[in-house]
Amino acid sequence: MTDRVRSAQSTARYGLTDDRAAEYLRAAGWWNEGGPASDRETSMVALSRSPDPDLALLALDRIRTSDADGWPALDRAVATDRGLRGRLLAVFGGSSALADFVISREGEWRRLLTDRQRSVADYAGVLLDAVGAVDTATDGIAGLTGSEAVRALRAAYRGLLLEIAADDLGHLVERELPVPDYAQTTGRLTALAEAAIRAALAVAVSIAPTGRDKCRLAVIAMGKCGGQELNYVSDVDVLFVGDGDLDAATRMASTMIRVAGQACFDVDAALRPEGKAGPLVRTLDGHSAYYQRWARTWEFQALLKARPIAGDAQLGADYLDVVQPLVWAAADRDNFVDDVRAMRRKVESHLSAEVLDRELKLGRGGLRDVEFAVQLLQLVHGRSDETLRRRSTVDALAALGEGGYVGRADAAELGESYRFLRLIEHRLQLQKLRRTHLFPEAGDTDELRWLARATGIGPDRGKAEGELLQVEFQRHLRLIRRLHEKLFYRPLLEAVARVPGEALRLSAEAAEARLSALGYAAPDGALRHIETLTAGVSRRAAIQRALLPALLEMLAETPDPDGGLLAYRKVSEALTTTDWYLRVLRDEAAVVERLALLLGTSRLVPDLIVRAPEVLRLLGDPDQLAGRDTAEVAASLRQAVNRQGYLGNAVAAARSLRRHELLRVASADLLGFMDVLTVCQALSSVWMAVLRATLAAVDRAEAVSAGERKARLAVIGMGRLGGAELGYSSDADVLFVCEPVDGVADSDAVKYASRVAQSVRKLLGAPSQDPPLQVDVDLRPEGRQGAIVRTLESYRAYYGQWSQVWEAQALLRARPIAGDEDLGARFIEMIDPIRYPDGGLDAARTREIRRIKARVDTERLPRGADPATHMKLGRGGLADVEWTLQLLQLRHAHDVPSLRTTSTMDGLTAAVEADLVLESDATALREAWLLATRARNATTLVRGKVSDQLPSAGRELAAVAAVLSPDADPGEFLDSYRRTLRRARGVVEQLFYEA
């Protein structure tokens, strides 16, 4: 074995992997042949404990070669001064940037000697002295300016940063050195930043010293600086308050920002009123006016940490006197919940999916989650409890635990996780003094090993330190990911239920305040629901106690948390005997999440769930929920009806399956798994299946009663049913046509068919808890005065002699949907010449169509309805688009076969292809029709009843907006709706009234 190999094996005992390690050690006098020098064993052991022994040894060699004269003194100090040894080797192995700083400045290492340590109180004096400031009691005027001041301030700042880092890391190398806690390190970093701001301000004053006599300027720290919890590398958030000559104050402030940025760190003033668009410096009155009139809730959230740190102390104190009362009233604002949620979404949107699980700051379970939650609780409960008015996150979290707003154990665990993530953040930033929040990738073993050692984690029980670090990191992320349940919702249960484990519980008043802040409009009612659901010691109550914290959070994100919680209570009570109900919610997270959205959005869905609970099982599988084949649905319904021998049971089976399908489609629609045309087609298909099955069952029963079947009967779908465009609120418009069987007179056939038709209408329209099934025959010849059923020849005679143009228009959507297929086909063949007239429409009949439309617009719009937002009859609404297409069909369908369609969308496409409508105009009509259809469906689901008027405000509008566009602001949605329909109305006026 060669000497080089033996040396490598020997140095490896001390964590050194570099092939040149023995060479460096021999040059330093620390290594003899085969092992350390007798007087260097202690130093070698210390070196082995450095976060990166190879990096630390390389730094030692560099300083030896760059300062040969100073090396002996350093060498002796490392051997004899335990404090220096621990601090220096820890820095050299933990921060290549600080190692470079020490190496580049001769003798810089001496500041780490045990007898040279400075206290925090010295920082301001050191930095002010570095820039030659006089009158340090008031920061005064710097003697240095320009690049000279920047260089001097940079060196002094970096030297003090070195001291903080050395104390922070030293205990890793020398175990007897004190271990600074989180608050000590962040407090020292903050004090250093404040001192740098003061020195930079002194430099700014020196550039225009007369400006100090013309104005007063106070620097207010925000963010982590305000909370005295800064990182090693971080922006320092500030804002400025001025008095007197604001131009002079602004010059001073901008110069201070520039000097501090060049020498120490970036200074960010974006948290000021109006952000970067606002003036850099405002007066006290200007700040007061802005926060009272214009500020958003997140701005008060930012002001929780506001603290004067430099400049005019009295002006800074006056600023706090103005803003603090406003901060502690922020939770009373009407837009409190919306603003907080918007800020949370904005924070989360900044992150790409690739780094979501590695981002310490903004990722899931990251630092911002804890800070956000703590600040929200402070705003809610700090109004009446001044002990919560702490700037530091860990101090505020501890106060929340002491006050009973958070469980003590929860507060302690979250505090521990927060400090752990901040420690990781500090170590990552120290490495190269760069701002980073990204945890190493799982495959980067070298980086993980270094980070684990820098954090104080060593190998254990055969597991490498990097592996243990990953396990610990994931553990803390998982804990923080539950923070909303831990901080917001679990204590709500403890406020109303006998839940063991916590010594302190929220009072009823505090619980109501929290629920109110989270968006519950009637918190007292919500607490009663929680109490009812969790009362007792049954297994069911235990499962509810496990479910409710997460469910309350999910409901808080819906448009109607109160209605959702009430609906959940009703559903849970109704399904008490359904053994799988709570088990599915407990075991399938996707089901409970989607159920919360449905219950907090729709009033129709909860009633359907109670009567068709089996659909809940489908919520966990979007493909099953949205992808069921319509033919399969129809076959299932027909089989269920055919199995019933009694007519009433057959119709009940049809209605039951219709209820199931209605809930399935509504759920898929609200959850965004179905587009609007698919929804309309599915609803139409269900209606058709119900009509077919019911007609067949009634026909069989009537034939038995009459002794024979006396007529063939076909049902012709009209209106939206004919066009396969039914919504949740649509009736089924139909015509009944019959034909006598051989040997039966027409009159007897009509009587027989009429009894069948009337029975179908009566059985389906009978009152029940389900949405009504109204079979509407008002489009029949002679309207309500005419016979409900006619023979084919009677229809032929009527349409040939008496029909009016509006009846031809109504027939445009006619198609067979049930009963005898051959009879239905012959009916369609008979009406085609009527609805697609040869030669189109003459001028008189065109005027008649327009006259009827004008009457509809003026007479049928309900009193008090808003024409801009009435989805059916409003300007640019459904009727406008449909009548425009139908006029084109009456005029041109005889010559353009592609226009012979019952579908509005297909008809518009055909009109474009036939050069009857410009593509841009057709697009405007399509967008309006689809939007109005979606909005009409959503409004019915939200309100739980038929409605053609779009809500104008409040939670119903918010719910409709959320269904159509989950991230849309309700006001913006309403504006967009009106714009879309206005464009369509312009096209309608051109095509319908002018063409």
Side-chain angles (χ1 to χ4, degrees):
M1 185 179 293
T2 65
D3 292 341
R4 186 178 183 86
V5 172
R6 280 195 298 268
S7 295
Q9 289 176 337
S10 300
T11 57
R13 291 167 42 216
Y14 296 95
L16 297 164
T17 60
D18 193 323
D19 291 342
R20 298 165 297 175
E23 178 185 337
Y24 293 152
L25 290 169
R26 281 193 292 269
W30 288 22
W31 195 260
N32 294 325
E33 190 62 36
S38 59
D39 59 344
R40 296 301 184 181
E41 178 66 27
T42 301
S43 297
M44 287 298 299
V45 171
L47 180 65
S48 72
R49 293 171 177 165
S50 176
D52 187 338
D54 287 312
L55 187 63
L57 179 57
L58 177 61
L60 282 171
D61 189 68
R62 288 174 60 201
I63 201 169
R64 179 187 63 78
T65 56
S66 65
D67 185 13
D69 294 337
W71 169 251
L74 172 58
D75 189 28
R76 286 192 302 273
V78 169
T80 58
D81 187 337
R82 175 179 291 169
L84 169 77
R85 182 168 60 242
R87 286 186 283 270
L88 185 70
L89 294 181
V91 166
F92 278 3
S95 175
S96 59
L98 288 177
D100 290 343
F101 173 72
V102 173
I103 294 165
S104 67
R105 295 175 61 83
E106 191 174 305
E108 189 69 23
W109 58 270
R110 296 181 184 277
R111 67 167 62 240
L112 302 183
L113 289 164
T114 298
D115 59 0
R116 297 280 187 94
Q117 298 302 292
R118 291 185 177 87
S119 70
V120 174
D122 298 329
Y123 291 173
V126 171
L127 297 191
L128 288 166
D129 184 61
V131 297
V134 296
D135 187 22
T136 57
T138 58
D139 297 348
I141 303 174
L144 302 180
T145 59
S147 59
E148 187 179 7
V150 169
R151 283 195 299 272
L153 181 56
R154 181 188 299 123
Y157 174 83
R158 188 62 61 90
L160 292 174
L161 189 67
L162 169 65
E163 294 181 17
I164 296 172
D167 284 345
D168 192 12
L169 295 169
H171 67 93
L172 299 172
V173 172
E174 290 293 342
R175 308 292 168 76
E176 293 79 6
L177 293 179
V179 182
D181 64 21
Y182 162 82
Q184 286 176 311
T185 300
T186 57
R188 291 179 70 181
L189 290 169
T190 304
L192 178 58
E194 292 177 29
I197 292 288
R198 292 175 61 185
L201 185 58
V203 174
V205 172
S206 70
I207 295 174
T210 58
R212 188 170 66 162
D213 300 327
K214 297 179 181 179
C215 67
R216 294 191 298 155
L217 179 69
V219 184
I220 310 297
M222 307 284 281
K224 284 186 168 62
C225 186
Q228 296 180 288
E229 47 192 4
L230 269 179
N231 303 328
Y232 279 98
V233 184
S234 178
D235 289 351
V236 173
D237 295 307
V238 301
L239 54 80
F240 298 96
V241 186
D243 186 44
D245 187 342
L246 290 191
D247 289 337
T250 301
R251 286 193 295 272
M252 285 170 42
S254 58
T255 302
M256 186 219 81
I257 290 174
R258 177 175 54 80
V259 170
Q262 292 173 348
C264 308
F265 41 70
D266 290 335
V267 178
D268 192 342
L271 291 179
R272 66 185 183 269
E274 299 180 84
K276 293 180 180 179
L280 185 61
V281 181
R282 286 180 186 251
T283 64
L284 193 61
D285 289 342
H287 279 283
S288 177
Y290 175 83
Y291 286 122
Q292 291 189 52
R293 295 188 61 188
W294 308 111
R296 301 286 297 273
T297 301
W298 70 262
E299 293 179 276
F300 294 110
Q301 194 173 344
L303 285 172
L304 278 169
K305 297 182 183 292
R307 181 173 60 89
I309 58 168
D312 191 286
Q314 185 57 53
L315 187 58
D318 292 342
Y319 174 83
L320 286 189
D321 290 341
V322 167
V323 301
Q324 284 187 330
L326 300 175
V327 168
W328 300 114
D332 296 326
R333 294 159 60 94
D334 291 339
N335 60 346
F336 177 74
V337 176
D338 291 339
D339 278 355
V340 169
R341 287 177 181 161
M343 188 63 179
R344 182 182 178 189
R345 286 194 298 269
K346 183 178 179 182
V347 168
E348 292 173 348
S349 68
H350 288 172
L351 220 53
S352 66
E354 292 79 10
V355 299
L356 194 62
D357 292 324
R358 295 195 294 122
E359 233 284 350
L360 293 166
K361 184 177 180 180
L362 304 180
R364 291 191 295 259
L367 295 166
R368 189 57 61 85
D369 274 355
V370 180
E371 293 162 357
F372 182 94
V374 169
Q375 290 164 18
L376 187 56
L377 286 175
Q378 284 182 280
L379 289 172
V380 172
H381 300 297
R383 293 173 292 178
S384 57
D385 188 344
E386 295 186 4
T387 65
L388 303 182
R389 300 181 183 182
R390 313 286 182 89
R391 295 186 176 93
S392 161
T393 300
V394 292
D395 290 347
L397 184 53
L400 288 164
E402 287 298 316
Y405 303 100
V406 176
R408 284 176 172 165
D410 295 342
E413 288 179 349
L414 279 164
E416 177 194 356
S417 294
Y418 183 76
R419 285 188 290 269
F420 176 82
L421 294 189
R422 289 297 304 275
L423 176 63
I424 296 293
E425 180 184 43
H426 283 176
R427 297 298 183 259
L428 288 169
Q429 292 181 349
L430 262 179
Q431 190 176 30
K432 296 180 180 179
L433 287 186
R434 292 179 182 171
R435 183 170 51 193
T436 180
H437 311 286
L438 204 58
F439 192 80
E441 294 188 63
D444 194 344
T445 54
D446 290 341
E447 184 75 3
L448 286 167
R449 177 178 180 272
W450 168 84
L451 182 57
R453 290 171 61 90
T455 308
I457 296 175
D460 184 39
R461 297 180 183 178
K463 290 189 176 181
E465 51 268 80
E467 185 180 352
L468 293 172
L469 173 65
Q470 283 187 294
V471 170
E472 194 67 359
F473 177 63
Q474 293 299 326
R475 181 178 74 84
H476 287 291
L477 286 186
R478 284 194 298 271
L479 189 148
I480 293 175
R481 282 173 192 171
R482 299 194 301 271
L483 72 97
H484 281 286
E485 175 182 338
K486 291 286 187 180
L487 294 187
F488 290 103
Y489 301 100
R490 181 69 65 187
L492 294 172
L493 271 66
E494 293 160 0
V496 299
R498 293 185 175 89
V499 182
E502 289 291 348
L504 291 172
R505 299 195 180 106
L506 290 179
S507 66
E509 293 77 11
E512 287 186 17
R514 185 173 300 187
L515 282 166
S516 179
L518 292 168
Y520 287 84
D524 54 340
L527 285 176
R528 287 195 297 272
H529 299 325
I530 295 170
E531 184 173 15
T532 300
L533 288 164
T534 58
V537 294
S538 67
R539 181 174 176 275
R540 185 172 298 276
I543 296 176
Q544 289 286 18
R545 286 195 289 269
L547 284 172
L548 272 170
L551 187 72
L552 288 168
E553 176 187 5
M554 295 168 189
L555 289 172
E557 298 293 330
T558 67
D560 186 6
D562 299 86
L565 183 56
L566 174 60
Y568 178 73
R569 176 183 170 181
K570 288 180 176 178
V571 168
S572 296
E573 290 173 346
L575 301 184
T576 298
T577 58
T578 305
D579 57 355
W580 53 261
Y581 165 64
L582 286 177
R583 185 174 65 249
V584 167
L585 299 189
R586 181 195 62 196
D587 296 340
E588 298 188 37
V591 173
V592 71
E593 183 177 351
R594 290 165 184 159
L595 176 62
L597 177 60
L598 296 175
L599 298 181
T601 303
S602 170
R603 293 181 184 171
L604 178 62
V605 164
D607 292 336
L608 291 174
I609 289 176
V610 169
R611 294 174 57 76
E614 62 277 1
V615 176
L616 285 176
R617 296 177 181 267
L618 303 180
L619 294 182
D621 188 343
D623 291 337
Q624 281 194 339
L625 188 67
R628 196 174 183 197
D629 183 67
T630 55
E632 178 190 346
V633 173
S636 297
L637 194 146
R638 184 171 57 253
Q639 291 168 7
V641 170
N642 289 340
R643 284 195 295 267
Q644 306 300 321
Y646 173 59
L647 179 58
N649 291 343
V651 174
R655 297 187 70 147
S656 175
L657 275 165
R658 187 244 184 184
R659 181 192 316 128
H660 179 284
E661 286 302 300
L662 186 61
L663 176 56
R664 181 184 68 82
V665 173
S667 299
D669 186 5
L670 288 168
L671 294 170
F673 298 146
M674 274 188 178
D675 62 55
V676 61
L677 291 178
T678 305
V679 168
C680 292
Q681 289 164 2
L683 293 173
S684 302
S685 175
V686 172
W687 245 118
M688 289 168 54
V690 169
L691 275 171
R692 287 172 181 168
T694 304
L695 178 67
V698 172
D699 192 15
R700 285 195 302 271
E702 185 62 30
V704 171
S705 176
E708 63 176 333
R709 187 167 179 252
K710 297 183 177 182
R712 289 182 288 274
L713 187 65
V715 181
I716 309 300
M718 304 286 282
R720 296 190 184 284
L721 179 59
E725 295 168 350
L726 281 181
Y728 300 102
S729 58
S730 302
D731 293 340
D733 291 309
V734 301
L735 299 177
F736 288 101
V737 56
C738 73
E739 186 175 65
V741 298
D742 293 343
V744 176
D746 283 0
S747 59
D748 291 336
V750 169
K751 289 178 183 178
Y752 175 93
S754 295
R755 289 195 298 272
V756 172
Q758 290 285 31
S759 294
V760 168
R761 295 184 66 212
K762 181 179 179 181
L763 289 168
L764 292 179
S768 76
Q769 293 178 315
D770 295 331
L773 286 130
Q774 298 297 338
V775 179
D776 193 332
V777 292
D778 286 352
L779 292 178
R780 66 188 185 271
E782 301 179 80
R784 295 180 180 178
Q785 306 304 316
I788 289 177
V789 181
R790 287 175 181 258
T791 63
L792 180 61
E793 293 306 316
S794 176
Y795 276 109
R796 191 191 308 277
Y798 175 83
Y799 287 132
Q801 185 173 2
W802 306 106
S803 72
Q804 301 180 45
V805 67
W806 71 264
E807 292 177 295
Q809 181 185 355
L811 290 171
L812 286 169
R813 297 230 223 173
R815 70 183 175 106
I817 61 168
D820 190 280
E821 294 181 3
D822 177 67
L823 178 59
R826 284 186 282 125
F827 179 88
I828 296 300
E829 182 181 7
M830 180 268 294
I831 64 170
D832 274 353
I834 299 166
R835 58 180 177 172
Y836 310 134
D838 188 4
L841 292 183
D842 57 25
R845 301 185 84 189
T846 299
R847 284 195 301 271
E848 177 65 9
I849 290 284
R850 289 170 174 165
R851 184 190 68 79
I852 295 172
K853 177 68 167 65
R855 284 191 61 189
V856 169
D857 288 347
T858 57
E859 297 178 9
R860 291 186 59 191
L861 192 70
R863 180 177 297 180
D866 181 357
T869 56
H870 194 278
M871 295 168 284
K872 183 177 180 181
L873 301 176
R875 293 188 290 268
L878 297 173
D880 266 3
V881 176
E882 291 162 2
W883 280 63
T884 299
L885 172 64
Q886 288 159 15
L887 181 58
L888 288 171
Q889 290 176 303
L890 288 168
R891 284 176 158 183
H892 304 287
H894 182 274
D895 299 323
V896 182
S898 60
L899 279 174
R900 301 173 188 177
T901 175
T902 62
S903 164
T904 303
M905 294 296 98
D906 291 348
L908 289 173
T909 299
V912 172
E913 292 172 349
D915 294 327
L916 298 174
V917 177
L918 294 175
E919 178 61 47
S920 58
D921 289 344
T923 298
L925 295 176
R926 284 192 200 98
E927 289 178 350
W929 189 90
L930 290 171
L931 179 58
T933 300
R934 290 184 67 204
R936 192 183 190 208
N937 284 346
T939 301
T940 300
L941 290 174
V942 166
R943 287 180 166 168
K945 58 184 179 182
V946 176
S947 179
D948 290 324
Q949 182 69 59
L950 189 68
S952 60
R955 296 203 173 199
E956 287 186 345
L957 175 62
V960 171
V963 172
L964 269 65
S965 181
D967 296 326
D969 175 82
E972 292 175 357
F973 161 73
L974 197 56
D975 291 342
S976 175
Y977 178 90
R978 287 169 171 158
R979 280 195 305 272
T980 301
L981 269 69
R982 276 200 303 271
R983 286 195 296 269
R985 179 65 180 189
V987 174
V988 168
E989 289 177 351
Q990 177 185 356
L991 293 179
F992 187 84
Y993 290 107
E994 299 176 11

